[in-house]
Amino acid sequence: MKSAPPDPLTQEASPAGLWNMANILTMVRLLLVPVFGALLAHDSGRSTAWRSVACAVFVVANITDTLDGKVARARNLVTDFGKIADPIADKALMGTALVLLSALDELNWWVTIVILVRELGITLLRFWVLKYGVIAASQGGKLKTFLQGFAILFYLLPISADWWHWVSVLTMAAALVLTIVTGADYVARAMRLRWSGTKK
């Protein structure tokens, strides 16, 4: 069975400069976030054309997320900038999508709030315990990210059929459950790491 790729935060930063392919892909994703947001916000009238373009931008941005990690690991381009910018770009993209879907009355606000509070809280917690050690992303956390991305994509696709709506709702529900469960697991692991660091 193929092992999961290492968490970038667990790797030593390479001597590569800021302007390398992995970081450029991350920067592209950051730049695509406001483009995606503007396109989706313009869809207040449920325009199929605008929604389709926003959906395409979301897909491209997620492809850069997959590629930048693979390029960084394959070419030893893991940098301190990438370690910080990559999760920021991810959270910005997902957060923008969730907030705008709620603003368009397509996703309940409480779902968006729960996910954003979890993501922001875990990101801050991760950096808070960084001096004691790195908590690598779990398989559950990776599945959570995967499901969140697909759930958002399903909501973005301009398909109005009732069955598609329920596919989107059920996928988001699964992502929400994993978001809460993996968040609680991460807090428990972080507290154990923090406690063991204090005891040393």
Side-chain angles (χ1 to χ4, degrees):
M1 183 176 179
K2 188 176 180 181
S3 61
D7 190 321
L9 279 180
T10 66
Q11 296 179 262
E12 291 293 329
S14 75
L18 174 65
W19 297 103
N20 62 67
M21 183 56 67
N23 284 347
I24 289 173
L25 286 169
T26 300
M27 292 176 196
V28 168
R29 187 160 73 262
L30 280 167
L31 291 173
L32 286 176
V33 171
V35 175
F36 164 72
L39 289 168
L40 186 55
H42 197 279
D43 183 43
S44 57
R46 302 297 191 275
S47 167
T48 300
W50 285 104
R51 177 58 69 95
S52 297
V53 176
C55 188
V57 172
F58 182 79
V59 170
V60 170
N62 275 281
I63 289 174
T64 67
D65 183 26
T66 300
L67 289 178
D68 63 7
K70 288 184 176 180
V71 170
R73 290 187 294 270
R75 301 185 182 181
N76 191 29
L77 298 176
V78 176
T79 63
D80 289 331
F81 170 82
K83 290 181 181 183
I84 296 172
D86 183 66
I88 289 175
D90 296 343
K91 301 300 183 289
L93 178 65
M94 295 296 182
T96 298
L98 291 167
V99 168
L100 287 176
L101 284 171
S102 292
L104 292 170
D105 291 325
E106 297 181 40
L107 181 65
N108 288 327
W109 274 108
W110 71 265
V111 175
T112 292
I113 291 170
V114 168
I115 293 176
L116 291 184
V117 168
R118 186 274 190 197
E119 297 298 337
L120 179 59
I122 295 303
T123 298
L124 294 175
L125 184 62
R126 195 173 198 189
F127 285 104
W128 180 60
V129 300
L130 196 56
K131 65 180 178 180
Y132 300 101
V134 174
I135 303 176
S138 65
Q139 290 301 320
K142 292 173 184 177
L143 179 58
K144 175 269 303 178
T145 301
F146 178 82
L147 279 177
Q148 280 183 1
F150 267 95
I152 291 172
L153 178 61
F154 291 164
Y155 271 90
L156 290 173
L157 287 169
I159 301 175
S160 57
D162 288 341
W163 66 269
W164 186 257
H165 168 73
W166 284 110
V167 168
S168 304
V169 169
L170 291 174
T171 307
M172 184 62 78
L176 183 63
V177 170
L178 270 177
T179 296
I180 295 170
V181 171
T182 57
D185 174 67
Y186 195 93
V187 169
R189 289 192 290 155
M191 291 301 98
R192 286 196 296 270
L193 179 62
R194 176 67 174 79
W195 177 252
S196 64
T198 302
K199 297 271 289 185
K200 290 180 181 178

